[in-house]
Amino acid sequence: MAHLLMIESWVGAMSTLLPRAIRESGHRFTFLTRDLNHYLRSAPSHPHPLLTADNVLTAETNDIDSLLSFVDKAHELLRFDGVISSCDYYLATVAKVANHLGLPGPSADAVERAYRKDLTRQATANVPGPRWALAHDWPATAKAAADLGYPLVVKPVDLCAGMHVRAVRDENGLREAFLALEAFPVNARNQPRVTTVLLEELLVGPEVSVETVTTGGTTHVIGVTDKSIAGDPWFVESGHMFPADLTEAEKNQAIDTAVAAIEALGLDESVAHTEVKLTADGPKLIEVNPRPAGNQITELVRRVTGIDLPAVFAQLAVGEEPDLRPRETGVRSAAISFLLPPKAGVIAGIDAPDHPDVVDRAVKPAGHRAGEPTSNNTYLGHVMVTSADHDARARAEQVVAGMNVRYAEDDQ
């Protein structure tokens, strides 16, 4: 039985899926956080799965030097076999800790290149992608945008879930996006943000993600997921289906692009979730995420192939060779569709009729304050559907279309 050190976590689906996967792999874990209340607040009525760890430790996880000192002492007492996290903001930290302790895992530099969108663009310059530029202040941003030409996509280089990613079509929109980023100097985990702004050509075409496992220098492709995007000028993911409904040529193009990007970044001993845009000019790399996919995509993969990517992630972290052979599940497609808020306001209730196709669902409770649908953090709920055919997406979208969101102010 291996013992993993988990340093921080998201509080969404992966905060349940990863602890479950660790235990189902026959292992145990210690959880380390700088802010225990962050997790207590996310599950006030019952113990959060993260807090059922064998040990729960607190230390400053945002300071790598003090963290390494603390982990050295903890390792002497508890003996860790691997280090892991589901939270993007700590993936490079985890790699540095693992490298420091001599434990399995990808190189910290490779993880940093994958997590930071500016470093990804620099490292994957030979992989097909959008035209892009980096800037550090307003004059440079305005000039870079003028040189690239509108419309553009403005991105922070170190945020997740589509936060502050938006399309702009003129300098006024660019200025608004720049000022919004400038007013957001610290992320949700109290880490100072990198102020670099990434500008990219606005690409047109369907977006997919390629789910892979790289070990021993070889990248194994688990499959390709498609996604639907909503909320222009924002890029909110409104749903996913696995496997993607693509031609063989489109599938191979997406896979080749993802594998080339992973190789260029130097990622190894890693699960990755690589986003690719299928344009009229061919596939274009969007980004590489050096961890299992979020938004419950890993559950879609598991229900179709029997491969549990969070478990694979944990196995790689302790140096085990994962079994990546697909198994017959009777499911040909699985999809998740998200309920986006029609508007901001306090939720009075969400009517979600039962449906025989649904295998998982969740909605926000009455009293939840909904924001504008500008990122993946604003979902009001989801449904997951499986099918013995390739039509799970349409079935899931039909169920979500039948949901009704009621607002407190409308009931007065």
Side-chain angles (χ1 to χ4, degrees):
M1 176 183 290
H3 185 189
L4 286 112
L5 173 63
M6 188 185 299
I7 300 176
E8 304 290 4
S9 171
W10 290 127
V11 293
M14 195 55 70
S15 68
T16 298
L17 295 175
L18 190 52
R20 183 204 72 190
I22 290 171
R23 290 205 167 97
E24 289 184 357
S25 297
H27 304 318
R28 60 196 182 97
F29 73 101
T30 286
F31 184 59
L32 172 59
T33 177
R34 67 186 299 272
D35 181 8
L36 194 58
N37 285 328
H38 184 79
Y39 303 94
L40 293 171
R41 287 192 302 268
S42 72
S45 61
H46 59 277
H48 195 287
L50 296 166
L51 305 184
T52 63
D54 286 33
N55 312 283
V56 177
L57 310 177
T58 56
E60 181 49 76
T61 55
N62 286 348
D63 183 309
I64 189 63
D65 291 334
S66 66
L67 177 62
L68 289 176
S69 177
F70 179 88
V71 168
D72 277 337
K73 295 171 186 174
H75 185 48
E76 287 180 13
L77 293 171
L78 300 173
R79 305 310 304 174
F80 304 118
D81 301 294
V83 193
I84 201 166
S85 180
S86 67
C87 181
D88 295 54
Y89 299 142
Y90 294 95
L91 294 175
T93 297
V94 160
K96 288 174 184 176
V97 171
N99 295 172
H100 174 76
L101 295 178
L103 297 175
S107 108
D109 289 344
V111 172
E112 184 77 8
R113 285 192 294 269
Y115 162 65
R116 284 264 303 271
K117 295 178 178 66
D118 53 337
L119 302 182
T120 296
R121 285 290 173 223
Q122 292 167 345
T124 60
N126 292 327
V127 179
R131 292 178 297 109
W132 57 275
L134 301 174
H136 304 280
D137 58 25
W138 170 245
T141 299
K143 182 181 185 307
D147 291 344
L148 282 175
Y150 295 94
L152 295 169
V153 179
V154 179
K155 295 181 177 181
V157 300
D158 59 350
L159 290 177
C160 311
M163 289 182 65
H164 289 282
V165 177
R166 70 169 93 177
V168 297
R169 289 171 169 79
D170 53 34
E171 188 169 301
N172 288 335
L174 178 68
R175 179 68 173 170
E176 182 181 335
F178 179 87
L179 291 175
L181 278 175
E182 194 174 51
F184 197 73
V186 177
N187 68 24
R189 299 306 178 94
N190 206 36
Q191 298 169 328
R193 287 195 48 252
V194 177
T195 57
T196 303
V197 176
L198 174 60
L199 302 175
E200 293 180 352
E201 167 192 9
L202 178 63
L203 299 175
V204 177
E207 189 170 325
V208 300
S209 63
V210 184
E211 322 308 335
T212 58
V213 177
T214 304
T215 181
T218 299
T219 296
H220 306 268
V221 177
I222 306 304
V224 181
T225 310
D226 70 15
K227 63 179 64 181
S228 51
I229 306 293
D232 182 69
W234 313 101
F235 295 86
V236 183
E237 296 176 354
S238 58
H240 305 277
M241 184 173 76
F242 184 89
D245 185 13
L246 300 174
T247 66
E248 198 65 22
E250 290 171 330
K251 176 183 172 184
N252 290 335
Q253 287 177 340
I255 288 171
D256 290 346
T257 303
V259 172
I262 290 166
E263 183 176 342
L265 290 166
L267 272 178
D268 201 359
E269 306 310 321
S270 178
V271 177
H273 166 72
T274 303
E275 296 175 353
V276 177
K277 201 85 164 177
L278 301 176
T279 77
D281 296 324
K284 307 286 186 181
L285 175 68
I286 302 300
E287 64 185 42
V288 180
N289 300 278
R291 40 82 178 157
N295 266 355
Q296 298 207 57
I297 289 173
T298 59
E299 276 297 280
L300 306 183
V301 172
R302 185 181 68 83
R303 288 177 182 274
V304 174
T305 69
I307 299 170
D308 187 347
L309 286 172
V312 171
F313 193 44
Q315 289 162 351
L316 291 177
V318 297
E320 293 181 350
E321 189 71 27
D323 182 358
L324 302 177
R325 293 172 298 179
R327 292 173 284 285
E328 178 56 51
T329 64
V331 174
R332 292 292 171 266
S333 66
I336 188 167
S337 188
F338 297 100
L339 178 64
L340 300 176
K343 62 180 181 179
V346 177
I347 302 300
I350 298 174
D351 303 319
D354 289 335
H355 195 285
D357 290 339
V358 173
V359 295
D360 182 65
R361 78 168 71 218
V363 295
K364 294 293 186 183
H368 173 77
R369 183 172 292 277
E372 296 291 342
T374 60
S375 78
N376 297 350
N377 294 326
T378 60
Y379 299 141
L380 295 183
H382 72 266
V383 298
M384 186 181 295
V385 166
T386 60
S387 174
D389 206 335
H390 297 280
D391 60 351
R393 172 197 280 279
R395 292 171 182 255
E397 290 176 347
Q398 180 182 24
V399 176
V400 167
M403 291 181 169
N404 178 52
V405 181
R406 292 180 283 108
Y407 288 84
E409 55 268 34
D410 296 337
D411 291 346
Q412 293 177 356

